[in-house]
Amino acid sequence: MYTIQQVAKMTHIPATTLRYYDKEGLLPFLERRESGYRAFSDVDLAMLQVLQCLKATGMSISEMKQFSQWVQEGDSSLKERYDLFVRRKEAVEQQIAELQKSLEVINHKCDYYRRAVEAGTEKHMMGKDTLPYADEFLHGGDGK
């Protein structure tokens, strides 16, 4: 069992956030010692890792609460939990695709400005800077 300070140090999650997660019911199996202090188990640490993952994907606290409730319900909610992770996977894959496009534009602009810095000007490149995905951006993805 771990104290809240130990968990905060190990996970880099502030103790205030850990208390908030507990208060919101996101740690359904978290125990308290006789003194009233929280006692985190390895199960709680695994749950925190999942919650941090879900948070990083943009999941709301209310959705994380629902997930925690399903975890507490046990096997009767396996299908709901599976479906939730399939939806998160699809959302993350979409985010990655969008970020990949952004990275390509950024890489293009890095190359553009590197060449401009080397030349000491960008005048010779003006009007010739065709960005990746420009048609998609300008025409909503239909290229028209």
Side-chain angles (χ1 to χ4, degrees):
M1 297 299 251
Y2 308 95
T3 68
I4 196 167
Q5 294 305 327
Q6 289 171 319
V7 172
K9 186 175 182 179
M10 288 187 301
T11 64
H12 306 287
I13 300 171
T16 54
T17 300
L18 295 170
R19 286 184 194 96
Y20 175 74
Y21 283 179
D22 180 30
K23 184 180 127 228
E24 292 298 316
L26 298 178
L27 299 168
F29 305 111
L30 185 63
E31 295 180 15
R32 295 217 179 228
R33 295 193 170 128
E34 285 184 23
S35 61
Y37 290 112
R38 292 167 182 87
F40 291 81
S41 68
D42 290 335
V43 169
D44 299 313
L45 294 178
M47 185 66 164
L48 280 170
Q49 183 178 7
V50 172
L51 292 172
Q52 288 302 100
C53 170
L54 295 174
K55 177 182 172 186
T57 70
M59 182 177 275
S60 70
I61 292 291
S62 64
E63 290 172 303
M64 288 192 283
K65 277 183 180 181
Q66 180 62 71
F67 170 68
S68 292
Q69 178 63 43
W70 286 333
V71 168
Q72 199 167 16
E73 290 172 12
D75 289 348
S76 66
S77 66
L78 285 172
K79 177 73 166 99
E80 288 84 356
R81 287 183 274 161
Y82 170 75
D83 291 344
L84 175 131
F85 278 93
V86 167
R87 288 190 308 272
R88 287 316 313 154
K89 179 180 179 286
E90 291 167 356
V92 169
E93 287 171 343
Q94 180 61 38
Q95 290 171 338
I96 290 170
E98 291 169 11
L99 285 171
Q100 185 60 45
K101 287 180 181 181
S102 295
L103 180 59
E104 289 178 35
V105 171
I106 289 168
N107 283 336
H108 176 86
K109 293 309 285 185
C110 284
D111 184 57
Y112 172 91
Y113 285 112
R114 179 192 50 77
R115 288 184 286 128
V117 166
E118 288 171 358
T121 183
E122 64 179 316
K123 288 183 183 177
H124 69 284
M125 299 184 303
M126 297 297 268
K128 300 175 187 171
D129 185 27
T130 305
L131 292 170
Y133 307 104
D135 285 341
E136 183 177 325
F137 173 73
L138 296 173
H139 304 291
D142 61 9
K144 295 180 184 172

